[in-house]
Amino acid sequence: MTRDLELRLVGASVPDGEIVVKDLAALTLALQELSTRIGRDIVNTPGPGRTKQFMEEFVQLRLCALEPGSTVLKFSRGPIGKLDVDLPQQKAADDRFWEIVEAIREDRRPDWVTDRVAESAARLVSALRETAPRATLRDSTHAAVQIDSSRIRVETWTSKRVQTGTQMEARGRLEKIDLHSHEFRVRDDIGQAVDLKHVKDDKDAAKLVGRWVIATGRGIRASDRIVALDNASISPVDDPALDFENHEVLTIDEILASTPGPDPAGGIELTDDEFVAFLEAARG
């Protein structure tokens, strides 16, 4: 089935509707390579399915328009002259492509991503960062995914993950639960996400979704930061914002009224000689 794909670039340092040729080449090659490698992974999955040639036709991209607003690249995606029918492997490849796009937006690398797919995702991240400060990807069946190019990092996809074996902790809001894979995710106030693997007592932990929690487990690091905790346990904690709520706010007039002014009878006492010396020093 042929689909559309739209990439909108916002804030680039070129006129609307234009793009630097090297940036166009980097973006289109990265998008095509990412789609192709995801499709190849699907074909290599055990079980009945279509041939490698058919899948590569499905993930084929064709640039069909370059429009203003700021600059919009429009692609056709999929085989030409084939029956307009979605097949299971096509849907799986499409779902994985959009999962990668969402992961790029969140600056995290999903566990299922192979090194080859991660390499292509890193190239797309690099191309987006070079081309425009913001970008949006969408098609006719997926809502627009807005990407802040300044926040995404190539290192998320290229850095080797190291299992430390050390117990570590992460605090944040529990925002994702998956009882099937026993994987959850927390995100702190500055937007950094930590994946939680093999969560203990996951059914009880799932009741904490949307709340602030502390998660502990064996740390997995990449780029000198914690990206995941293995064999994780989750406990609720108070939202740190509560410390700043329900406090009385005083106006400036109330603050000034409650603060005593200078005491007219206060101050140091000087002898006559000391006072004369002070005046001489002041005149000098």
Side-chain angles (χ1 to χ4, degrees), residues 168-172 186 194 196 213-217 229 232-235 237:
M168 297 181 176
E169 68 176 42
R171 294 172 183 259
V186 296
V194 176
L196 309 177
V213 299
I214 178 171
T216 58
L229 297 174
S233 58
I234 301 174
S235 304
V237 294

Side-chain angles (χ1 to χ4, degrees), residues 262-269:
D263 183 0
I268 61 174
E269 294 184 3

Side-chain angles (χ1 to χ4, degrees), residues 1 67 187 192 244 275-276:
M1 177 179 180
E67 300 176 352
R187 186 180 300 275
Q192 290 189 338
F244 303 96
F275 185 68
V276 170

Side-chain angles (χ1 to χ4, degrees), residues 186-260:
V186 296
R187 186 180 300 275
D188 63 22
D189 274 342
I190 62 173
Q192 290 189 338
V194 176
D195 294 326
L196 309 177
K197 305 172 180 295
H198 307 111
V199 174
K200 303 171 184 176
D201 301 323
D202 55 352
K203 291 184 179 179
D204 290 332
K207 299 173 184 177
L208 301 175
V209 66
R211 293 180 54 185
W212 271 80
V213 299
I214 178 171
T216 58
R218 291 198 301 272
I220 300 173
R221 302 180 67 90
S223 301
D224 295 325
R225 74 180 183 95
I226 301 173
V227 294
L229 297 174
D230 195 19
N231 285 338
S233 58
I234 301 174
S235 304
V237 294
D238 290 335
D239 187 334
L242 293 177
D243 292 339
F244 303 96
E245 296 179 357
N246 302 321
H247 287 278
E248 183 180 0
V249 178
L250 300 178
T251 66
I252 187 65
D253 291 336
E254 290 173 319
I255 294 172
L256 292 175
S258 65
T259 304

Side-chain angles (χ1 to χ4, degrees), residues 54-274:
F54 181 88
M55 181 57 74
E56 295 203 4
E57 288 179 359
F58 168 71
V59 299
Q60 180 186 82
L61 292 175
R62 298 177 298 280
L63 181 63
C64 57
L66 178 64
E67 300 176 352
S70 295
T71 295
V72 180
L73 307 179
K74 291 191 173 183
F75 300 86
S76 295
R77 185 167 180 245
I80 303 172
K82 302 292 184 180
L83 290 177
D84 195 21
V85 177
D86 274 336
L87 299 173
Q89 285 188 312
Q90 290 174 283
K91 184 178 186 308
D94 196 48
D95 288 345
R96 286 196 174 186
F97 174 82
W98 286 102
E99 186 176 344
I100 289 287
V101 172
E102 286 282 359
I104 288 174
R105 178 183 68 83
E106 298 174 356
D107 195 34
R108 63 177 180 85
R109 175 176 169 172
D111 292 330
W112 61 264
V113 171
T114 63
D115 288 342
R116 299 280 285 173
V117 171
E119 182 181 86
S120 300
R123 286 178 180 160
L124 179 56
V125 167
S126 180
L128 289 171
R129 287 178 57 90
E130 289 291 326
T131 304
R134 296 182 303 283
T136 301
L137 270 164
R138 62 175 294 277
D139 68 12
S140 56
T141 60
H142 294 85
V145 178
Q146 298 181 1
I147 299 172
D148 183 348
S149 303
S150 64
R151 289 187 65 247
I152 57 180
R153 304 175 308 151
V154 175
E155 293 81 7
T156 298
W157 303 89
T158 58
S159 297
K160 183 178 180 181
R161 294 190 167 200
V162 179
Q163 180 101 19
T164 66
T166 303
Q167 286 292 114
M168 297 181 176
E169 68 176 42
R171 294 172 183 259
R173 195 176 301 279
L174 187 63
E175 66 171 19
K176 172 200 169 185
I177 58 172
D178 187 336
L179 296 179
H180 177 71
S181 65
H182 309 285
E183 294 186 358
F184 293 31
R185 185 168 65 236
V186 296
R187 186 180 300 275
D188 63 22
D189 274 342
I190 62 173
Q192 290 189 338
V194 176
D195 294 326
L196 309 177
K197 305 172 180 295
H198 307 111
V199 174
K200 303 171 184 176
D201 301 323
D202 55 352
K203 291 184 179 179
D204 290 332
K207 299 173 184 177
L208 301 175
V209 66
R211 293 180 54 185
W212 271 80
V213 299
I214 178 171
T216 58
R218 291 198 301 272
I220 300 173
R221 302 180 67 90
S223 301
D224 295 325
R225 74 180 183 95
I226 301 173
V227 294
L229 297 174
D230 195 19
N231 285 338
S233 58
I234 301 174
S235 304
V237 294
D238 290 335
D239 187 334
L242 293 177
D243 292 339
F244 303 96
E245 296 179 357
N246 302 321
H247 287 278
E248 183 180 0
V249 178
L250 300 178
T251 66
I252 187 65
D253 291 336
E254 290 173 319
I255 294 172
L256 292 175
S258 65
T259 304
D263 183 0
I268 61 174
E269 294 184 3
L270 301 176
T271 65
D272 291 342
D273 291 341
E274 288 173 334

Side-chain angles (χ1 to χ4, degrees), residues 23-42:
D23 293 336
L24 175 63
L27 283 169
T28 53
L29 288 173
L31 278 169
Q32 182 62 80
E33 185 182 83
L34 178 61
S35 296
T36 300
R37 286 181 170 174
I38 290 173
R40 287 174 180 171
D41 275 0
I42 295 295

